[in-house]
Amino acid sequence: MIMPLIKGLQITISHMFKKPVTLQYPTERPDVKPGFRGLHALNVSHDKAKCVACYLCPTVCPAKCITVEAGEDANHDKYAAKYEIDMLRCIFCGYCVEACPVDAIRMTEQFELANYTRADFTYTKDRLLEKK
Amino acid sequence: MVNLTINGKQVAVEKDATIYDAAKACGIKIPILCHDKKLHPFGGCRMCLVEVEQMKGRLIPACTTPVTEGMIVQTTTDEIVKARKLVLELLLLKHPIDCPVCDAAGDCDLQNLTYEYKVNMNRFVDEKFNHEIDYENPLIERDMNRCIHCGKCARICDEIVSYGAYTFINRGIEAKMGTEFDGPLNCEFCGSCVSVCPVGALNSRPFKFKARWWALQKTKSVCSYCGTGCQLTLGTKDGKVLTTIYDENQGFHNGQLCTRGRFGYQFVNSDKRLTAPLIRKNGKLQEATWEEALAEVTSRLAAGKSDPASVAALATPRLTNEELFLFGKLFRGTVGTDNIDHSAGYAHEALTKGAVASFGVAASPAEIADVQKSNLLLVVKSDAYETHPVIGFEINLGVKRKGIALRIVSDKKGKLTRLPGAKTTVHAPGNEVALFNALCKSVIDQGLAVEGVAGLDALKAAVADATAEKAGVSAEEIAAIAKEFASAEKALIILPIGQGYPGHNAALANAAANLAILTGQVGKEGAGLLIMGEKNNSQGAVDMGIYPKGTGLNAAAIIDGCANGNVKTLFVAGENPVVSYPNRAKVEKALENVEFMVVSDLFLTETAALADVVLPACSFAEKSGTFTSLGRRVQNVRKAIPAIGLAKSDFEILNAISQALGGARYNNQGEVFTEIAASVPAYKGLTQAGLKDEGAVYPVALAAKLVPAAAKAAAPAAGKLALVTGSALYHCGTMSRFGEGPMYVCPDAYAELNVADAAALKVEEGDQVTVTSGTGAVQVVAKVGKRVPQGVVFSPYHFGEGSVNTITDGAEVTYVSVAKK
Ligand code: SF4
Ligand code: SF4
Ligand code: SF4
Ligand code: SF4
Ligand code: SF4
Ligand code: FES
């Protein structure tokens, strides 16, 4: 009876001398681990979104939250005239990143996504484009 | 039957089958790239290699090797898989790996096989192709870098379409699928080549980048242009029709479509579509609610009930059978007027009066399948190909593959003229009846008439003085055609009818039927008369009785009634008389004069613009029902997308009006079909579910008799040219103007002149010319060629601007003068 009690106290006392794990958010920021799946970003190459509008990410997306519409540019090439993610539906599975054949989309470390209106959760191509 | 063993399975197949066919018959899949069941075997890609025990030591292409008795075939040994991998590696050597931006991805044989055979590296290296991509053409984009040289495009264009736009150029590694002088593609734009291309080398531009194959919803339906009734699969996404999908197992035509079916469907999602009802207020059409619009219409019709003769109604034969039946029931039954017609009585008189008099039924005694079962086809007007292109493909196939003899009697030459062995007899415009009478006389004179047909004496007397000279052709030609026709084992006459052909009326149908009956070429397979109604449901409109009976006015008389004030209320369902009926000025004046006109249509057409109430209607893609094709095949039309805007189907519109007027009320269009099956004898026993995908050809009981047809002598006017109207390949009626495809290729009204006439008038291709008749004048673009004979001008009727009905007045031939603007 007495031994378990002592063991328990030992643990309690040992913790009194350890660094606390609680972060004082927002003054203290977490250290995001590699592979964390936060807000998406569209990668840029040659000043253009890398996305070629292949429709693979909307196809693979289990939440059906990606809308892509392809357009034809002046050189007859395909580009994403519209690229939109409804972040309210996104389940951050990262399948889109895996599916992309041209490495056009990645997930950033940004996790602060709370907002006030539904419209603010629609991430258009403009909002997703990697900001330099 | 030949017996063989494939992968240990015993198979028995016809003796002309190939190993590929035999494997397919027993469910074994052999990969193919260059093979297509519609085309002659080619054996170019070597993807289908198999091993045959009796021919050990080398691999054999399954698609070109005929089966022999006792063959033992293996389709997937290690060696075969290795060989197929090699084929793919070699194909991928110069092929760009463009899949993310290639429209074929997801529906690409090369991609699928590469995946299936796990070709994830290549032992060889070479530079990729660097051919210039042909973006010039608005409908078909050609990227020969992706071409795998299967030759299917060239073969289909040659074997089935008979155009021959492509050919291989260069040899070996330099080989390329090219066009004439390697220039831009300039062809019929039927899209057949695009449909069979196994990779993304040929793409449909209107569909370019729009969606992935797997994201499309596929709905089987029926083309809504011409009376051929080709089945098609609509590819839709997000409530829009994006493309038509090729299915080689669909319909009698194995998935073949013409340019309209392939590239003319954008009218469904056109932003010109009407999306809300319009009511004329203070002289202007303004948006209104459905309640207001329907209230207005029903109150007018309710008032008309007390004076039914003052009410008239016109329907387009593009509506479904159910809608047309309801239309008839509403106007004939509930409102009580007999003034109903579709697409102008004169245009379908060949069926409603002609076929009834000659065969006792308002339908063709032959069906489309008879085209290829015949031994001799006698085509009236060379543009049977332009009005019903897929029947044109059937004719091509019959002539080229089965050696069917082809005889054409026409006022001009056309594509059919160029088929192997085809003989064209060019007669003066408007002489068709005289020509058939002369043929009948020749049959009688040569003693080739069958004995004891009803009405023989009367016919003999009537054609006694019908001579070849009267028809304007040589006596030898007449005698030859008459002899060939009568002595062929099975001979079929093909006769297009429709608004472009005012001369193709009851008399012509009788005259043509006489020839068939007189020679015994009727009531048997591959023989008879195929009367080809112009629109997708022309036959259905006749079957549903949408033409004047008894004292009712026909379309032309309705227009007159509007002009003279006898018709006060006019209901127009989808028709566009301003452009399609003869004498535009007269029609416009009449429609302006009528007290109250309501038009239901997809677009604010020239006619709708004159209406007091305009109701937005649904296209064929937005509704279900049935169409009856010219070969009497009743087929299911299926709803593929929800209605655009506030549009309602004509079924919903007519049902609401009928109910408000105290008439019948149906819960859905299917109930109407049940009633049709109960009350239209030919449709007895049919159910919509029973029609399935293939539809059903309803039977006809013929009571054939000879009916003398009087030939009207067209009086040529000195110094004038004879204007014949008709259909242009890319268009059908006036609706195709709202499809982007047809308008890219054929955007303007034109008049086609013979080179000699053009030279005399100092007119060159592309010049603006004024064509003047006694009725009016119209400005069109000149086309110059050798298709039309000297002294004849041809002009299609589909266009709103420069519409030829400005200068025609319903006569078979209009004499015009042509002058450079
Ligand atoms: S998978 Fe990549 S290239 Fe394709 S649409 Fe998505 S982001 Fe664009
Ligand atoms: S043709 Fe097929 S394999 Fe070639 S790029 Fe297109 S989808 Fe890929
Ligand atoms: S579109 Fe038709 S006519 Fe033109 S090349 Fe292709 S198959 Fe031939
Ligand atoms: S263009 Fe297409 S259909 Fe024609 S040969 Fe090349 S791969 Fe075959
Ligand atoms: S032939 Fe007629 S039914 Fe067939 S695709 Fe062409 S327009 Fe449509
Ligand atoms: S499919 Fe047999 S050789 Fe191409």
Side-chain angles (χ1 to χ4, degrees), chain A residues 52-56 59 68 70-72 75-79 101-102, chain B residues 99-103 135 141 205 208-212 214-215 237-238:
Chain A
V52 293
C54 71
Y55 294 99
L56 287 186
T59 301
V68 179
E72 188 176 351
N75 296 327
H76 302 285
D77 288 332
K78 199 177 186 185
Y79 76 104
V102 296
Chain B
C99 306
V101 292
C102 174
D103 259 346
Y135 295 114
E141 187 173 297
R205 268 192 80 78
K208 190 179 174 189
F209 300 158
K210 289 259 166 44
R212 285 303 186 194
W214 61 78
K237 196 183 159 215
D238 302 331

Side-chain angles (χ1 to χ4, degrees), chain B residues 521-600:
Chain B
Q521 300 286 13
V522 79
K524 61 184 182 190
E525 197 175 65
L529 175 61
L530 193 59
I531 305 177
M532 309 201 299
E534 182 183 27
K535 309 271 170 70
N536 54 315
N537 204 20
S538 290
Q539 183 66 50
V542 172
D543 295 342
M544 297 306 125
I546 309 304
Y547 52 93
K549 290 170 182 165
T551 56
L553 305 176
N554 70 13
I558 290 173
I559 297 294
D560 290 339
C562 292
N564 64 28
N566 289 343
V567 172
K568 297 194 169 61
T569 306
L570 179 64
F571 190 104
V572 181
E575 275 283 82
N576 188 6
V578 171
V579 178
S580 58
Y581 290 14
N583 201 338
R584 180 166 181 157
K586 182 175 116 184
V587 175
E588 269 174 330
K589 239 170 115 199
L591 298 183
E592 277 161 16
N593 186 54
V594 68
E595 263 177 39
F596 182 76
M597 172 161 76
V598 40
V599 174
S600 71

Side-chain angles (χ1 to χ4, degrees), chain A residues 22-82:
Chain A
T22 317
L23 275 182
Q24 296 306 311
Y25 182 82
T27 43
E28 283 178 313
R29 316 285 303 176
D31 165 25
V32 175
K33 294 282 179 287
F36 176 81
R37 299 199 291 255
L39 178 70
H40 308 64
L42 286 173
N43 293 340
V44 168
S45 140
H46 297 93
D47 289 332
K48 278 198 308 197
K50 273 176 117 178
C51 171
V52 293
C54 71
Y55 294 99
L56 287 186
C57 53
T59 301
V60 80
C61 176
K64 295 277 160 273
C65 62
I66 308 180
T67 312
V68 179
E69 267 172 32
E72 188 176 351
D73 67 15
N75 296 327
H76 302 285
D77 288 332
K78 199 177 186 185
Y79 76 104
K82 179 175 175 184

Side-chain angles (χ1 to χ4, degrees), chain B residues 321-322 324-325 362-363 537-545 626-629 632-635 673-688 691 696-699:
Chain B
N321 285 326
E322 295 71 18
L324 290 163
F325 184 81
N537 204 20
S538 290
Q539 183 66 50
V542 172
D543 295 342
M544 297 306 125
T626 56
F627 290 156
T628 305
S629 78
R632 313 191 309 271
R633 186 179 290 275
V634 190
Q635 307 189 103
F673 191 84
T674 312
E675 194 171 325
I676 294 173
S679 56
V680 179
Y683 290 62
K684 194 161 179 264
L686 297 181
T687 60
Q688 274 184 345
L691 295 177
V697 176
Y698 67 73

